Amino acid sequence: MSSAKSRMTTHDLIDALGAKLSKKKLRSTRELDVLDSRLQKLVAIVRGQRNALQVVHRLPDEVLASIFWRTQQHLPSFLPTPLHGQTFDSGHRNWLSLLHVCRQWRGVIASSRLLWSTVDNSLMPGKPLFTEHELGLLKPHIHRMRELHLGLSKWTESVETVFEALSSPALALESLTIDTHGAVNAGYHLMPLFAGDMPHLRKLCLEFFTAWPTHYFSGLTSLCLHHQQTPHSLRPSTNEFLNFLEASPHLQELILVYAGPTRDREEDVPSPSPWRKVVLPRLRQFSWGKIEDMLHVQRLLAYLSLPETANLYFWGSSNADGGDLGNLIPIDLTRLPCMLGLREWRLRCSYQPVSSLDPGNYLVAFVDKVLYMLNIAWESYIARVPVVYAPMLSGVQKLYVVDSLNVSTDLWKDLFRSLPRLSHLMLQPPQQWASSRGILGALYPDDTKSTIRTGFKAMLGISDALCPHLRSLSIEADPGFQGFYISAFAKARMKRGSPLHRLEVKHLHNPPNPTYEGGRAAGNGPVSPPDTLGPSALTPVEQMRLDMEDRYALEKTVKEVTYLYDQAPTVFEPSTWPTRGYTWTMMPLPSGQ
């Protein structure tokens, strides 16, 4: 009998069990529950066998764990903000649903240290990371922590409790963030932290506190100090701050926001030696925001030596008249090659911020040999630029301009005198053409000074016009573009030996008539019916006629004339803006925080 049973297949056993259960009447509920539980386990075993046949289960557990890791939200270790976009992943814990897929996945997830290396409170600013009870649980594991991002917004009256819990050495700590979200009832001096023993700390973000023991933070690669809401006299002096930087010669990121060496001149003692230089050969980014006095930036830059590849960002409130961007620049630029050799300049003069990213803030940035001056709300800000920035602008070949302020023609002439190598000019006119005519008017040769000698020079290709190498003009024009004025402008410069070779007119709307130029718009714009025409008081027929008249006039004085339709406006901000330093320190908290 036993040998017959051993020869039974799995299907035979299932059939025999089914036949036996159908004949036997079980009257005990307890017995039925036990039997149901055992059958469920058998079903689970069968499902596990079936799942094991799937291709994905042939992957090693380490590979599965790596795949699961990619479904989690991962933020940078320094300034943990999302790398793309400006919102945190509200569903960042959805990866836990993988625990319910199958037994094998649950086992891989439960046993993988890689997937359980972060303790968080939704990874969103404004929330305290830990309750007092949780801080107690954390304390025995401080020596294992590699990152700690601590928000004290709910601990402002009991900060001592937090620092008492963080009193053990943090031997593995690499990145530390302490954000207070405002002033705390603890004084401006940082309390004892990790017994001063943080041998591997390389990344530090610190809010409010302005002083700490000198041996605490050295060898840093990333540093952010922000919102030091204390009297300027309690902030570090320039000499003290240079000493602090000197202890981190491998610094790569330096971010100051409403912080840093901002003492008044008479309080900034002892003054550094005029020959002192702090060399930061690996610095990739220096950002100073919410600048209260541009002279503070100039004072610090005068003592720094930065590499040519460093990117600089300076920004502050543009609401006050009388500001002067010339105050940002030190006299000696020989140790700041990142500010020299500029190839391009993007200048936007505007009363109003163009986006929520820059609420009333000007931005001066030196990024990849491009100078950005954005949201300049007062002419006084750029009045000294032709003189102070002249060494930096002498090699600029491309200038992009928006002028909503109607900057005076005299100032434009001074600006153009500082651009002797300019070859391409792009204008993005505001609603009215007056400012653009003012810009071009500065480049318009003065015919009253025309002589036989100037005409002879023009014949030899020698120009005495401003920006004699200017050969290309691009205009992002609204309907009503004044081609006849540009034609006269080009003709006048041609007479003075500085002809325009190329003119590009970019309309930000669709072409006015599908029959224009054989059914195709000039350039790369698609053909569209008249009802897609952009904002204009002209009918499609009138606009078409105006474009044709403009083009006819322009082609007499410019070699190459191109009309482009349905174009996106030129973006003036750097592709790296806003920086993560700006996002972390200035962007509002997510809703509900």
Side-chain angles (χ1 to χ4, degrees), residues 94-109:
N94 291 344
W95 74 275
L96 293 172
S97 61
L98 298 174
L99 287 164
H100 306 291
V101 173
C102 66
R103 182 182 303 171
Q104 182 186 358
W105 284 21
R106 184 162 56 252
V108 170
I109 292 172

Side-chain angles (χ1 to χ4, degrees), residues 428-549:
Q428 194 178 86
Q431 295 301 317
Q432 300 296 327
W433 252 90
S435 63
S436 297
R437 292 189 64 153
I439 297 170
L440 294 177
L443 291 168
Y444 214 110
D446 186 357
D447 289 335
T448 61
K449 297 181 180 180
S450 179
T451 63
I452 296 177
R453 176 177 291 184
T454 57
F456 184 69
K457 286 183 177 180
M459 292 175 61
L460 296 176
I462 303 172
S463 175
D464 62 351
L466 277 179
C467 303
H469 300 284
L470 182 64
R471 296 293 181 267
S472 175
L473 177 62
S474 177
I475 299 177
E476 297 182 2
D478 292 325
F481 166 69
Q482 299 185 5
F484 285 94
Y485 178 82
I486 303 297
S487 177
F489 168 79
K491 184 177 181 180
R493 288 190 64 87
M494 182 169 57
K495 289 182 178 180
R496 303 299 282 269
S498 181
L500 276 180
H501 291 167
R502 186 171 188 272
L503 173 66
E504 182 179 81
V505 181
K506 298 172 64 174
H507 286 269
L508 308 183
H509 63 283
N510 289 324
N513 192 305
T515 63
Y516 182 46
E517 290 205 3
R520 294 294 297 175
N524 61 358
V527 174
S528 304
D531 60 357
T532 62
L533 186 64
S536 174
L538 302 174
T539 66
V541 174
E542 291 171 335
Q543 182 61 50
M544 181 189 69
R545 184 175 65 249
L546 181 62
D547 283 353
M548 294 180 66
E549 291 174 352

Side-chain angles (χ1 to χ4, degrees), residues 5 9 19 70 81 110 141 155 214 216 239 248 285 360 419 429 471 490 537:
K5 286 185 178 180
T9 65
R70 293 180 182 276
T81 57
H141 304 282
W155 298 85
T214 55
Y216 262 30
N239 200 56
S248 298
Q285 180 192 135
L419 301 170
R471 296 293 181 267

Side-chain angles (χ1 to χ4, degrees), residues 246-265:
E246 215 163 29
S248 298
H250 300 307
L251 196 65
Q252 299 177 19
E253 296 176 271
L254 174 58
I255 300 167
L256 305 174
V257 179
Y258 195 63
T262 59
R263 291 186 183 182
D264 294 336
R265 183 177 179 180

Side-chain angles (χ1 to χ4, degrees), residues 384-439:
R384 289 203 308 134
V385 165
V387 176
V388 178
Y389 287 71
M392 296 176 277
L393 300 176
S394 60
V396 167
Q397 298 178 9
K398 296 182 179 181
L399 173 62
Y400 296 75
V401 179
V402 175
D403 179 14
S404 299
L405 303 182
N406 289 322
V407 173
S408 68
T409 300
D410 288 340
L411 179 52
W412 278 119
K413 287 183 177 180
D414 291 339
L415 291 169
F416 284 125
R417 288 190 185 98
S418 65
L419 301 170
R421 305 300 301 173
L422 185 67
S423 61
H424 175 76
L425 174 63
M426 194 287 287
L427 302 180
Q428 194 178 86
Q431 295 301 317
Q432 300 296 327
W433 252 90
S435 63
S436 297
R437 292 189 64 153
I439 297 170

